[in-house]
Amino acid sequence: MRLEISCEDRVGITQDVLNILTDYHIDLRGIEIDALGKIFLDFPTIEFTDFQTLMSKLRRVDGITDVKTTAFMPIQRERNQLRAILQSLPDPVFAVDTNGKIILFNDAAKRSLEMTSEAILAMNISEFLEGINIPRWLEGNEASAQTQKVGFLEQDYICDLLPIDVSEENEQAVYAGAVVMLKSQIRLGLQYTLLNTSSGDSFTNIVAKSTAMRKVLREAKRMSELDGNILITGETGTGKEQLAKACHDNSKRAIGEFVSLNCASLPDDVAETELFGYAPGAFGQQEGKQGLFEQAAGGTLLFDEVSEMSANLQAKLLRVLEYGTYHQVGDSRVKVIDCRIICTSCKDLSDQVDKGEFRQDLYYRLNVLSLVVPPLRERKQDIVPLANKLLLQHSKTLGIQPPNCSKACIDYLQGYPWPGNIRQLKNALYRAISLSEGKEITKEAIQLPVCNTRVTYIDENFNGSLEQEVKKFEKDMLKRLYPSYPSTRQLAKKLGLSHTAIANKLREYGINKSTVKH
């Protein structure tokens, strides 16, 4: 039972009210006095006759102008309003005490942590939030609101940190805790410059939080400023073409066109006309056609999956690169090429050369500068940022609010080996976001084939001895590492072997600066 008492501002009026409650042996559960001078009482329900007598006595107190029942106490209304606002927010919100212990949270926070309410209330926010220290921040008397980047469940968030000041007006600040509001990178998108600071760098859109990928980007930036041909290798779906485009955009040829030819998709005769074009009258056509070399003049020409290029086209390309000239089909006039060549391949071209499937002389022409893009399983730190970026892109395409990934989903994404790399991750997330109905991507929504997380280097049905297969693996590993550790001493230190042992192995496998370009 709750009462709202309107009264004058008189010293002792509250005590008079409490004395009446004492006379009736009423167990008072709560009392509030608002800024307008009203007194609110909360006590257990009493008999109706007693209640009538109580109301009569309260109204006769000097200074009381009205007494009536009310459905709620002001603090209850404020608490419920706050809870309603809190629960409506799509991102995690926590209230903590001065030590960082959680005392309140919303549904979004609970969904993100995937824990029971009891378990969350037993935690300190520092157990899962990286980048803030509540006690240190609240030290002193001038703790101010802050906005900063933090880590929450291995994802980047913007954190609005608001102190709870319970001091009276003109008094020294007294802090009872803080409100922590987290805004995910997905929901903020690219408009929040604190998470995505634009530097004008063409490599900005390439996710590279892992050490391996940061190294690739450092090398790519240096190579892009040169004008030599670049060979980019890596497994299918690792983003080789995106890296090639970034190299173009960061080069002095950025004002020119970036054009590409998929070497695996066209037969020789079609590929030749695509590359060189044809003159008017050729093939019975009244008008001629520009080739890719002409379209890429002043820019970059990308040969995608160059390892799939036929022997005939390899010979023609080699001639063009050797002399720097070509002519259109049906035209004897010589044209000069003026473009940079970038090639991508998901196969090891040096192995293709050893097998006789790729021309050695062309390989050396193309492999002036080289980059190796690591597979996704070797850059686990990039998986969650990549997933966030892809979810944002898919959401824009589908015209929906971007969801977050649950903790179980994040763990699953990071533990999966991703044989299809970024392309497989992109497709899996598109399927998940298309079929999901809530505000969160769960582990169950990620439908992926069962895949052994153990990397198998040797085919179970291999022919030959164990020693032969071990040597084959050893050679492949040394060839992959050599561009990054081009001296025998550096390579020896990396592999924990002696300088002499590495030198002997490199000599045995024919690995040197002339056979492995870097």
Side-chain angles (χ1 to χ4, degrees):
M1 184 168 289
R2 301 172 189 89
L3 296 181
E4 177 183 327
I5 303 174
S6 300
C7 58
E8 299 173 358
D9 185 9
R10 176 175 68 79
V11 176
I13 194 169
T14 303
Q15 185 61 55
D16 292 342
V17 170
L18 293 178
N19 289 337
I20 293 174
L21 296 179
T22 303
D23 292 342
Y24 281 84
H25 304 288
I26 291 175
D27 182 15
L28 187 63
R29 293 186 299 201
I31 181 171
E32 290 184 58
I33 302 175
D34 68 8
L36 298 176
K38 289 185 177 181
I39 301 173
F40 293 86
L41 304 175
D42 183 9
F43 53 86
T45 303
I46 60 178
E47 293 293 336
F48 182 70
T49 54
D50 291 338
F51 176 68
Q52 285 183 312
T53 306
L54 174 66
M55 294 285 279
S56 177
K57 285 194 173 183
L58 288 173
R59 288 191 178 102
R60 290 199 295 268
V61 172
D62 182 29
I64 291 181
T65 58
D66 187 27
V67 181
K68 61 183 179 181
T69 60
T70 182
F72 44 76
M73 302 283 280
I75 193 170
Q76 292 174 326
R77 178 181 60 192
E78 292 176 8
R79 185 186 301 117
N80 290 335
Q81 288 173 337
L82 175 61
R83 188 174 296 277
I85 294 172
L86 202 60
Q87 299 305 343
S88 68
L89 295 176
D91 293 303
V93 180
F94 299 90
V96 299
D97 65 14
T98 54
N99 294 316
K101 187 180 183 303
I102 298 171
I103 55 178
L104 189 65
F105 55 90
N106 66 348
D107 285 344
K110 184 177 180 181
R111 286 196 305 269
S112 298
L113 292 173
E114 296 184 328
M115 300 170 63
T116 64
S117 299
E118 293 75 15
I120 296 174
L121 291 173
M123 296 180 69
N124 190 291
I125 200 165
S126 62
E127 295 180 50
F128 52 78
L129 197 64
E130 301 172 7
I132 61 171
N133 186 315
I134 298 293
R136 184 180 301 169
W137 171 60
L138 291 176
E139 285 178 358
N141 302 316
E142 297 183 358
S144 58
Q146 294 186 7
T147 299
Q148 63 186 78
K149 185 177 179 180
V150 298
F152 177 61
L153 300 180
E154 301 188 43
Q155 299 180 78
D156 287 334
Y157 277 71
I158 287 295
C159 173
D160 286 334
L161 202 56
L162 310 171
I164 300 175
D165 186 355
V166 295
S167 61
E168 297 291 338
E169 188 176 356
N170 299 324
E171 287 186 354
Q172 189 177 31
V174 178
Y175 299 115
V179 174
V180 181
M181 304 178 67
L182 301 176
K183 301 175 184 177
S184 70
Q185 183 176 5
I186 285 186
R187 294 200 178 277
L188 292 171
L190 298 177
Q191 59 181 315
Y192 285 83
T193 56
L194 186 56
L195 279 176
N196 294 286
T197 303
S198 176
S199 61
D201 187 347
S202 60
F203 294 92
T204 300
N205 290 329
I206 299 178
V207 174
K209 289 200 170 185
S210 64
T211 302
M213 201 60 196
R214 287 202 303 269
K215 181 176 182 294
V216 171
L217 290 197
R218 284 197 304 270
E219 294 175 352
K221 288 178 183 179
R222 291 198 298 268
M223 294 179 186
S224 66
E225 296 169 356
L226 307 175
D227 205 37
N229 298 335
I230 301 178
L231 175 62
I232 304 175
T233 58
E235 295 180 7
T236 181
T238 50
K240 299 184 292 295
E241 186 171 352
Q242 184 186 15
L243 184 60
K245 181 63 165 62
C247 288
H248 164 76
D249 291 340
N250 198 58
S251 71
K252 61 183 180 182
R253 294 182 175 272
I255 58 174
E257 293 293 323
F258 177 82
V259 296
S260 64
L261 175 72
N262 190 318
C263 300
S265 64
L266 298 174
D268 278 3
D269 55 343
V270 178
E272 187 173 346
T273 57
E274 283 292 316
L275 274 177
F276 307 124
Y278 54 81
F283 309 113
Q285 300 292 323
Q286 186 175 357
E287 297 182 356
K289 178 185 177 181
Q290 276 191 339
L292 296 182
F293 274 116
E294 191 171 355
Q295 294 177 36
T300 301
L301 177 55
L302 171 68
F303 288 95
D304 192 24
E305 296 305 333
V306 71
S307 59
E308 303 301 319
M309 185 179 286
S310 68
N312 180 48
L313 201 56
Q314 287 181 41
K316 292 181 181 292
L317 179 59
L318 176 63
R319 181 176 178 82
V320 170
L321 295 180
E322 282 181 339
Y323 296 100
T325 60
Y326 70 99
H327 63 83
Q328 289 184 317
V329 177
D331 191 349
S332 59
R333 290 175 297 178
V334 173
K335 291 180 177 289
V336 178
I337 64 170
D338 178 26
C339 63
R340 184 186 203 170
I341 304 296
I342 299 181
C343 299
T344 66
S345 174
C346 62
K347 296 180 180 178
D348 188 333
L349 283 188
S350 62
D351 282 346
Q352 300 296 101
V353 170
D354 292 342
K355 296 174 183 177
E357 297 175 359
F358 199 86
R359 294 182 65 112
Q360 186 178 51
D361 44 6
L362 179 58
Y363 170 66
Y364 291 140
R365 287 279 183 180
L366 299 177
N367 191 25
V368 178
L369 303 168
S370 63
L371 294 167
V372 180
V373 184
L376 195 53
R377 63 179 173 274
E378 293 180 8
R379 39 186 294 213
K380 289 187 179 295
Q381 287 176 291
D382 295 333
I383 292 176
V384 174
L386 270 169
N388 289 341
K389 180 180 177 181
L390 292 170
L391 283 174
L392 182 61
Q393 292 174 354
H394 291 329
S395 299
K396 288 181 178 178
T397 301
L398 297 171
I400 61 175
Q401 285 293 323
N404 287 321
C405 290
S406 69
K407 184 177 184 301
C409 178
I410 291 171
D411 293 341
Y412 180 57
L413 294 178
Q414 290 187 310
Y416 193 76
W418 301 109
N421 295 292
I422 298 175
R423 186 178 295 118
Q424 185 183 20
L425 175 63
K426 181 178 181 180
N427 294 339
L429 291 175
Y430 184 82
R431 182 168 54 248
I433 197 174
S434 300
L435 300 177
S436 295
E437 297 179 354
K439 299 178 181 179
E440 192 173 60
I441 300 294
T442 64
K443 174 185 174 182
E444 291 71 27
I446 306 295
Q447 301 173 15
L448 291 167
V450 176
C451 190
N452 191 351
T453 57
R454 177 177 55 89
V455 179
T456 303
Y457 293 103
I458 300 176
D459 190 338
E460 295 175 359
N461 299 314
F462 71 92
N463 294 318
S465 66
L466 175 61
E467 182 180 3
Q468 289 173 325
E469 289 298 324
V470 170
K471 284 183 175 293
K472 181 180 176 182
F473 167 68
E474 190 174 63
K475 177 183 178 181
D476 179 67
M477 183 176 67
L478 290 173
K479 286 177 71 174
R480 289 177 179 273
L481 289 175
Y482 190 78
S484 301
Y485 304 91
S487 76
T488 52
R489 294 192 183 279
Q490 289 177 339
L491 193 53
K493 183 178 180 181
K494 170 67 177 176
L495 296 175
L497 296 174
S498 69
H499 167 252
T500 303
I502 288 295
N504 290 338
K505 289 182 182 294
L506 294 177
R507 191 179 304 111
E508 177 184 356
Y509 298 131
I511 300 173
N512 52 56
K513 292 182 179 180
S514 63
T515 60
V516 179
K517 296 293 181 181
H518 50 85

